[in-house]
Amino acid sequence: MTETIFRNARVLDVVAGAYVDGLSVLVANGRIKAVAPDVHRMAAADAVEIDVAGRVLMPGLCDAHVHVTAIIPNFAELGQMAPSYVTVHTADVLKGMLGRGFTTVRDAGGADWGLARAIAEGSLPGPRLLYCGKALSQTGGHADMRGPGQQELGECFCCAGLGKVCDGVPEMRRACRDLIRTGATHLKLMVSGGVASPTDRIDSTQFAMEELRAAVEEAEAANIPVMGHAYTARAINRALEAGLTSIEHGNLLDQSSVDLFVAKDRFLVPTLATYRALADEGLEAGMPAPLHRKVYDVLDAGMDALRLAHRGGVNIAFGTDLLGIMHRRQLTEFALRAEVQAPIDILRSATVVAARLFRMQDQIGQVAEGFRADLIMVDGDVLHDVAAWATPETSIRLVMKDGAVMVAR
């Protein structure tokens, strides 16, 4: 791979929360080889030079909660589609994420080893894809997409769709082991009711404690984390006590939840963008009306939960959870969170905090020697303002992943 020199860069140090002007960054073999005022003496004679012209050069963004195969906001219908058809449209979702500066994303149900391998091989342009395969749900839980009049489950691990139903400790262990067998980088458990499922209530808890602990034991044996979909404080606290690594959404948490997050050093992944998007255009995008009404049970509470968690010192990672045509709103999470958090805190959630959640803190999330060369070049003062993220098509000038330029404008 040809070496690349970025010169005259305003490098964003997300750890320090500061710019360092006048730096050059040398990229070789997919890694950052050097960050210094002058790197030419360390570079190959044929290195490609890119003049950053004083713009911000920063780490590629991470989204800790995506559904790249959710090409429509109706998971019951998605499960009836051919995987080949879903994959074709997933390619557009992945391309869009790259264009918005995301170089690593963590899928929360639907993506599998085939997509991850195609991206890693370069056959399918997209962010680095961390995947769980299918999210695991109890009967009647958040990934059971049957209506009350349906009896046949009709699901398999290889079909398109969000999740797989399993009940009891033996089924839970078997499901976890099968996902781990396929190379899952994490597991996903539905531990409360949700918006997109037809028969559960948002305030329900799901899975017995012994089932949750069995899944955590399997994940720990494989050295991978466990993410849990949860809304209420009761569901969140049960999951944290069982040992889950991160809680997704968490809109209805309370102070007892915050205390548990901090005591156990766990992570919260709010997804404010999806609730705003669903409220604005969910029906138009194809979400069933009965499910759309459930959005309003959690819409406003999400901001209050973020505020409580931020003040309490919880590890907060960046997530969006967008579906269908609403994927284009991925960067609106910045403006929403800016009502509570400073721009640097949001940037950290999308870089160093997410990297730690992914257990990749020594590989991604910083412009530093030895890290993967995941870099974006941005017009705008991203350290102090979120405005640049509203117009990625003009503000994000370049996206590099693993040393390869993926987007150049």
Side-chain angles (χ1 to χ4, degrees), residues 28 32 70 97 102 193 207 218 224 253 269 277 284 408:
I32 297 172
M97 289 179 173
F102 290 90
F207 284 127
E218 296 300 331
I224 60 174
L253 59 73
V269 186
E284 176 190 349

Side-chain angles (χ1 to χ4, degrees), residues 341-352:
Q341 295 180 287
I344 184 57
D345 292 320
I346 309 170
L347 288 169
R348 286 174 178 143
S349 77
T351 53
V352 288

Side-chain angles (χ1 to χ4, degrees), residues 196-227:
S197 39
T199 63
D200 60 358
R201 300 182 308 278
I202 283 177
D203 64 355
S204 68
T205 61
Q206 296 178 7
F207 284 127
M209 286 297 286
E210 57 264 29
E211 292 171 305
L212 296 177
R213 290 190 176 110
V216 170
E217 285 178 5
E218 296 300 331
E220 288 178 345
N223 295 310
I224 60 174
V226 185
M227 62 195 298

Side-chain angles (χ1 to χ4, degrees), residues 300-313 316 339-341:
D300 294 330
M303 197 67 72
D304 294 333
L306 176 63
R307 185 174 291 106
L308 191 62
H310 177 65
R311 289 175 178 171
I316 301 174
E339 295 184 29
V340 173
Q341 295 180 287

Side-chain angles (χ1 to χ4, degrees), residues 111-122:
D112 64 5
W113 66 273
L115 279 176
R117 177 182 284 187
I119 293 168
E121 291 176 348

Side-chain angles (χ1 to χ4, degrees), residues 155-166:
E155 63 177 10
C156 64
F157 273 126
C158 61
C159 296
L162 174 66
K164 182 174 176 60
V165 170
C166 56

Side-chain angles (χ1 to χ4, degrees), residues 287-341:
M287 188 176 206
L291 305 187
H292 184 258
R293 287 193 289 270
K294 295 167 75 174
V295 172
Y296 297 93
D297 293 338
V298 294
L299 176 63
D300 294 330
M303 197 67 72
D304 294 333
L306 176 63
R307 185 174 291 106
L308 191 62
H310 177 65
R311 289 175 178 171
V314 175
N315 300 312
I316 301 174
F318 187 99
T320 56
D321 191 29
L322 292 158
L323 313 172
I325 62 172
M326 294 169 283
H327 278 112
R328 73 187 189 283
R329 300 173 66 145
Q330 192 173 19
L331 287 168
T332 63
E333 187 79 15
F334 273 91
L336 291 166
R337 293 196 187 194
E339 295 184 29
V340 173
Q341 295 180 287

Side-chain angles (χ1 to χ4, degrees), residues 60-61 63 92-103 127 320 322 324-332 334 376 378 389 391-393 395-396 398-399 407 409:
L61 300 173
D63 191 328
D92 292 331
V93 174
L94 292 165
K95 181 180 178 182
M97 289 179 173
L98 266 182
R100 291 184 286 272
F102 290 90
T103 52
T320 56
L322 292 158
I325 62 172
M326 294 169 283
H327 278 112
R328 73 187 189 283
R329 300 173 66 145
Q330 192 173 19
L331 287 168
T332 63
F334 273 91
I376 57 176
V378 188
W389 307 116
T391 56
E393 62 281 354
S395 61
I396 298 177
L398 179 143
V399 180
V407 177
R409 299 182 173 110

